[in-house]
Amino acid sequence: MAVDLLLGLQWGDEGKGKIVDVLTKDYDIIARFQGGPNAGHTLEFDGIKHVLRTIPSGIFHENSINVIGNGVVIDPVVFVKELEGLDQFNIDYKNKLIISRKAHLILPTHRLLDAASEASKGKAKIGSTLKGIGPTYMDKTGRNGIRIGDLELKTWKEKYRSLANKHEAMIDFYNVDMQYDLKEMETEFFAAIKTLKELTFIDSEEYLNQAMKAGKTILAEGAQGSLLDIDFGTYPFVTSSNTTAAGACTGLGIAPNKVKDVYGIFKAYTTRVGSGPFPTELFDEVGVEMAKVGREFGAVTGRPRRCGWLDLVALKYTCEVNGVTQLMMMKGDVLSGFDSLEICTAYKYKGKTIKHFPYNIEPENVTPVYTKFKCWSEDLTKMTETSQFPKELNDYIAFLEKELEIPIKVVSVGPDRKQTIHR
Ligand code: GDP
Ligand code: IMO
Ligand code: MG
C-alpha cells in the first residue's frame, strides 16, 4: 500500500494533531517524520484535551502502531513526561509505540546552546521554543550527533561526554549571561534515558517498507508548518528540518513514488508564533478578537500567537511545494460574527503586483492586496454536515478551491474530534 502525508501549510499549529487523530481509524500506522518537542499537537475527545510533543497523534487509538521516524529529534526528558501523561489514561504505549534507531537525541547541552544562541542574537532572535532543536539538527548534519541506536552501544556515554564538553566550550564562546546546573540536568537526562530504553528501537525504514509490502496503510504526520521549512520557509525565521512533503521521504525512508495523498491543513485565517515576517498580520482589535476566540496561545510555550487574515499567496506556494492533493480547513468557527473577512490574493512587491511568494517578504518589500468577503454569523460549532453551512462560508470555501485548484475535503468547526465535517 501507499503512504499518505498530513502536513501544515502555514506557520504551524494548524490543527494537525486533531486531524491525525480523526484520520487514524483509517490507517494501520501513524509515523511522525520530523521535528521534535518544539511541536505541540492538541487532540480533544470525551471532554479531555491532550497535547503531544514527539509521540504521533494516533497513540490514543487501540489498534494503531505509532512510529517515531529517523527524521525526528527526541529529548528523553520531555519524552518521558509525555509517557507519564499517557499513563494517566492507561495507554499501552509499550506495544504500539516504536522508535527509529536513526532518530537523533537532544542533549541537555543542546537546549543550553539554543538559549545561548538566541540570547546572543538580541532583537534578531528567531523566537525559538528553546527545546534544542536547531543545535541538535546542526550536530546531525555536522555528523557529530548521538542517535537512539547509539544507546545500545556500551561506548555511548563516552561519546556523550565528549560532545557535551564541546558544547560547554561553545556556550562559553557565546559569552552570554547564563546560569545552569549541568550536573542536575544530566541526572534527569540519564534517568529519562533509562525509561526510554524500555521502549522498542527499530530500523524504522525497513519496518515501514515491509509494512507497505504487507498491505498496511500508513499516515505520515508532519510537525510545524511549510512556512517554517528550513529551505522553503521564511528563513532564517524557520525551524531546522524539512517540514514539507519531501521531509516525509527522508524522515521515514519512504520513496517518493510510494506517496499517494498529501493532505494540506490550514486555518481559515493565519497565525504565527515567534519572530519573522507575516504580511497579513493584524495589529488591530480584529487580530485581538481572532486570538481570543481562537484561543491562540502556543501549546508548547504558552506564548500568544500573532494573528492575521488568510494569505492565499503563501498558501498557493505551500500547496505547490508539497503537491497537496486534498485540503482541510480548520477553525472556520472562529471567524463567525466578524463584520467582514479578507483574503490576501496578491502582494504589492517593490511597486509591482505579484501573485507568487517572493524571496523576501519583509514588510518593507511586501504589502498585501486583499479581497473582501461577507462573513457568516452562524455558530458553526454545532454543525454536523455541509448542508447546514451558511452561504457566506460556502462562498469562502468555493473561492479558495477555485484559486487553489484543490478540493477542501474537511472543514473543522471546533477542537473536538466530533467537530469535523467531511465534504
Ligand atoms: P498542531 O500543532 O497543528 O497540532 O495544532 P495545535 O494543537 O498547536 O493548535 C491548534 C489549536 O486549535 C488546538 O488548541 C486545537 O484544539 C484547536 N483546534 C483545532 N481545530 C479547531 C477548530 O476547527 N476550531 C477551533 N475553535 N479550535 C480548533
Ligand atoms: P507544531 O508542530 C508553531 C516556531 C517557533 C520559532 C521557530 C523556530 O505545533 O505546529 P524552534 O523551536 O524550532 O527553534 O523554533 O519555529 N515553531 C513553531 N510554531 N508550531 C510549531 O509546531 C512550532 N515549532 C517551532 O515559535 O518561531
Ligand atoms: Mg502546535
Side-chain angles (χ1 to χ4, degrees), residues 51 59 87 103 127 144 282 327 376 384:
V51 180
I59 196 73
D87 280 332
N144 298 312
L282 288 164
L327 287 161
W376 48 95
T384 51

Side-chain angles (χ1 to χ4, degrees), residues 8 11-16 32 34 36-42 52-53 114 118 126-135 137 221-225 228 236-241 271-276 298-301 303 305-306:
W11 278 290
D13 301 329
E14 296 89 350
K16 299 175 291 292
R32 171 82 180 264
Q34 47 66 237
N38 49 348
H41 293 182
T42 314
L52 296 169
R53 311 284 297 279
D114 218 355
E118 283 285 78
I126 307 296
S128 165
T129 60
L130 302 179
K131 302 298 170 199
I133 305 298
Y137 279 113
E221 174 178 359
Q224 289 78 53
L228 289 170
F237 301 101
V238 293
T239 192
S240 298
S241 61
T271 65
R272 171 163 210 174
V273 60
S275 328
V300 173
T301 55
R303 290 179 292 177
R305 296 179 185 142
R306 302 153 63 191

Side-chain angles (χ1 to χ4, degrees), residues 181-194:
D181 183 343
L182 185 56
K183 277 261 160 352
E184 199 178 299
M185 292 171 94
E186 283 178 343
T187 305
E188 199 185 20
F189 176 72
F190 288 120
I193 296 261
K194 221 169 143 199

Side-chain angles (χ1 to χ4, degrees), residues 12-18 39-44 49 224 265 267 293-296 298-299 305 329-334 381 412-416 419:
D13 301 329
E14 296 89 350
K16 299 175 291 292
K18 171 187 162 157
H41 293 182
T42 314
L43 292 72
E44 257 186 73
K49 179 169 147 175
Q224 289 78 53
I265 155 166
K267 279 178 190 166
V293 182
R295 302 202 175 141
E296 295 297 355
R305 296 179 185 142
M329 187 175 93
M330 312 299 287
K331 296 189 107 164
D333 54 296
V334 173
T381 59
S412 171
V413 293
D416 194 89
Q419 292 170 302

